[in-house]
Each structure stands twice: as structure tokens, then as C-alpha cells.
Amino acid sequence: YQFDRLLFPSTLSVHANSFPPPQLAPMFAHIRQSVGQERGGPGAERIYVTRRGSGAQRQMKNEPELIEALTLRGFTCVAPHELSFTEQVRCFSRAKIVVGQLGAGLTNVSFAPPGCHLLELTTHNYNGNDYWFMSYVLKQRFSRLMFRSETENELTMSDFSFEVPIEATLAAIDLALAQIAAREIAGA
């Protein structure tokens, strides 16, 4: 890409629970409107972000079962690391809900419109408030489900696997979907 003028905000996160600058909201809205399509475009409204195939650590052992259940609820499974920048923006530009494991792929929720609900899946020994703060600045909704990892060793915080309780996770997702539907009815 070639830019006549490029504004580069301070870092979104340094894993120190930093609060992102408010200038991010109009910047991401501009990108979404310029590259993505907010209405009627190719993006999905319900997105599950997978880390499979990215070489990332912190793998969810029962992710295939979760993906299968989410597919039945109309979710599209997205691997952002396999998409170009333009494809990432377009994919997330119409999202109403994004569900995924804490990791870099969730940064794409930045391209989702205000009101989008981010449901972060993480573990008790690997979490931060980066996406919560980002959601606040972008006028999005945020919730987090925390699970136990297979290790209690704090020295291996970046290298472990875990399982999510499928039924409890789906119950939280169904609640978020019901809240989205209620807001749409109230706004209509």
C-alpha cells in the first residue's frame, strides 16, 4: 500500500494493560469504511477466530468441537493469519459478534463496527485487559471467559494447552447473541 499521509498511533498494547489512545476509533472507522464494507459486503456477522495453523502457542485442545457447535449457530471460522490485510478488514467489517482465544488474531475486531461484541476466551494464567480497553475505546461490547490451563507453572505462561467446557461456553455465547438481538429489536 502507498499512503500520502500515514498516522501511526502509539502501540495498542505492550502487555501492560495499557489504555489505547482514543484516536484509534476514527482511524479504524476510516479503514473499515475505505477498505471494508459496513453494509451488504462480504464480511460475516458471527465470527470465530482460530489460532490453528498459525504456529501459535496456547492451543485449545477441543477447538474442533467448539467450531462445530458454533457453525451450527451461524458462525464463520476465520484464520486471520491466512488472510491479506484487505481480506481481514472486509471479513470483520460487518461483525456483530467475534469469539476467539486471546491472541493477536483478536486485534481484527478493530475493524468491526461499534456495538460488536467481543467474547474473549482465555485462561487464568494468561490474560490482560488489552482487548477490554480496546473494545471500550471502539464503543464495542466485551466479555471474557476464563478457563484452567493444564499447567500451574507461571514460567510457561506462553506455552500450554487447555480445554473449554463446551456447554458453558455455548451458554455464554447464546446469552451474547440474545443481547445482540434485543438491542437490534430495541433500535429498530
Side-chain angles (χ1 to χ4, degrees):
Y1 297 93
Q2 183 175 352
F3 300 94
D4 292 328
R5 187 175 122 188
L6 176 65
L7 299 176
F8 184 76
S10 62
T11 59
L12 181 59
S13 167
V14 290
H15 293 286
N17 293 320
S18 59
F19 199 83
Q23 294 85 353
L24 284 179
M27 180 188 80
F28 284 120
H30 177 76
I31 292 169
R32 182 177 60 253
Q33 292 164 359
S34 299
V35 179
Q37 297 181 4
E38 287 190 293
R39 300 188 195 284
E45 291 186 352
R46 297 177 178 189
I47 297 174
Y48 174 75
V49 177
T50 182
R51 296 165 53 93
R52 293 267 183 220
S54 68
Q57 298 171 327
R58 301 186 320 272
Q59 293 296 318
M60 185 187 310
K61 291 172 66 175
N62 61 342
E63 185 179 52
E65 292 87 352
L66 180 61
I67 291 171
E68 182 179 340
L70 290 176
T71 300
L72 295 174
R73 285 168 166 75
F75 278 77
T76 300
C77 183
V78 174
H81 57 276
E82 296 175 355
L83 304 175
S84 70
F85 173 75
T86 300
E87 291 169 328
Q88 290 176 40
V89 174
R90 287 188 176 147
C91 179
F92 287 82
S93 68
R94 292 182 55 234
K96 292 182 180 180
I97 184 169
V98 175
V99 177
Q101 183 183 346
L102 174 65
L106 291 186
T107 303
N108 288 284
V109 78
S110 304
F111 306 123
C116 176
H117 190 126
L118 172 59
L119 179 59
E120 175 188 276
L121 309 176
T122 189
T123 61
H124 72 288
N125 64 337
Y126 196 86
N127 62 76
N129 291 321
D130 306 318
Y131 293 110
W132 179 18
F133 293 158
M134 184 176 72
S135 294
Y136 176 80
V137 168
L138 297 175
K139 295 181 176 30
Q140 297 172 343
R141 298 184 179 273
F142 176 86
S143 53
R144 171 186 294 147
L145 296 178
M146 295 179 75
F147 310 102
R148 289 244 171 244
S149 67
E150 293 183 347
T151 180
E152 297 294 325
N153 184 349
E154 297 298 323
L155 298 176
T156 60
M157 285 179 36
S158 64
D159 186 16
F160 57 82
S161 58
F162 67 101
E163 289 189 9
V164 299
I166 300 290
E167 293 306 316
T169 303
L170 293 175
I173 292 168
D174 289 342
L175 177 61
L177 290 171
Q179 291 170 344
I180 291 166
R183 283 192 304 274
E184 288 176 349
I185 291 170

